[in-house]
Amino acid sequence: VEESRTLCPAADIRSYDGVALPYPDSHFRAVTLIEVLEHVGDEAAVLREIRRVLVPGGTLVLTTPHAGDWAWMDPDNFKFRAPWAHKALYTLLGRSKEYQRRFADSGRAVVGNFTRRTDGSAPWHRHYTRKQVGSLAAGFDIGECRREGGFVFATALVANYLADKVIGTWPWLTTAMM
């Protein structure tokens, strides 16, 4: 938050505690939640808060990873599928301190870039079917629902993730594809 405020001092940047958005009822005409829902501790609670801060008839733009055939390739779940290998990779790359800071179980609310689940389940990078999104978005008028991605995108994500972790580049592969 502090880094964002430094980079963009004119922006209204606030921290969210995962329970109550720091805005009054009916405050926004539109809210975007782009690739965020899968990182929160309680999707339903977040969407209730968004519904509260939206004006009646307001717009929510929501995107999530799709629970399709290639969801198993999601590199963000490597740390949960094979935690010993994930830790070993960080150690091998000389990033043990970063591993301890981001992933060591110290009772923190966040594991890497995932919020601990309020139901006690693992904070996986979740993928959703259309039906699941529809169920979570109950109370919203759903205007359009599309499924995109697949094998090529999943492969690009894995290649990009490995390149970033091994040689320290930024998402050049996925950026080039978009």
Side-chain angles (χ1 to χ4, degrees), residues 158-176:
V158 170
N160 187 64
Y161 183 83
L162 291 174
D164 180 46
K165 294 303 174 204
V166 175
I167 59 177
T169 62
W170 186 239
W172 54 270
L173 184 57
T174 48
T175 301

Side-chain angles (χ1 to χ4, degrees), residues 20-51:
L21 286 169
Y23 298 98
D25 295 356
S26 301
H27 187 72
F28 297 103
R29 290 183 307 219
V31 172
T32 59
L33 201 62
I34 299 173
E35 303 302 306
V36 171
L37 198 63
E38 65 275 12
H39 294 268
V40 304
D42 184 342
E43 301 101 318
V46 168
L47 290 169
R48 277 193 304 274
E49 273 297 282
I50 289 172
R51 192 175 304 109

Side-chain angles (χ1 to χ4, degrees), residues 1-15:
V1 170
E2 290 308 316
E3 183 178 351
S4 297
R5 286 180 179 150
T6 300
L7 294 171
C8 216
D12 178 12
I13 299 169
R14 301 182 192 189
S15 184

Side-chain angles (χ1 to χ4, degrees), residues 5-148:
R5 286 180 179 150
T6 300
L7 294 171
C8 216
D12 178 12
I13 299 169
R14 301 182 192 189
S15 184
Y16 169 52
D17 65 6
V19 177
L21 286 169
Y23 298 98
D25 295 356
S26 301
H27 187 72
F28 297 103
R29 290 183 307 219
V31 172
T32 59
L33 201 62
I34 299 173
E35 303 302 306
V36 171
L37 198 63
E38 65 275 12
H39 294 268
V40 304
D42 184 342
E43 301 101 318
V46 168
L47 290 169
R48 277 193 304 274
E49 273 297 282
I50 289 172
R51 192 175 304 109
R52 181 186 66 77
V53 300
L54 271 174
V55 299
T59 300
L60 168 63
V61 176
L62 170 69
T63 67
T64 66
H66 174 65
D69 295 337
W70 304 104
W72 63 271
M73 288 181 67
D74 186 336
D76 276 329
N77 285 328
F78 176 61
K79 61 186 141 294
F80 304 118
R81 278 198 182 92
W84 59 271
H86 185 253
K87 182 177 183 179
L89 180 61
Y90 268 81
T91 303
L92 181 67
L93 297 173
R95 297 166 108 172
S96 295
K97 287 182 181 176
E98 181 183 353
Y99 178 87
Q100 288 300 321
R101 180 181 61 80
R102 294 189 66 205
F103 304 107
D105 189 4
S106 61
R108 295 179 306 139
V110 176
V111 177
N113 58 341
F114 299 93
T115 304
R116 290 195 187 278
R117 302 284 299 161
T118 56
D119 64 6
S121 62
W124 287 73
H125 190 237
R126 293 174 304 282
H127 292 240
Y128 303 86
T129 64
R130 287 182 186 201
K131 185 176 181 178
Q132 288 170 320
V133 171
S135 177
L136 286 168
F140 289 96
D141 291 328
I142 298 176
E144 183 176 348
C145 186
R146 295 186 306 182
R147 189 193 86 185
E148 297 179 358

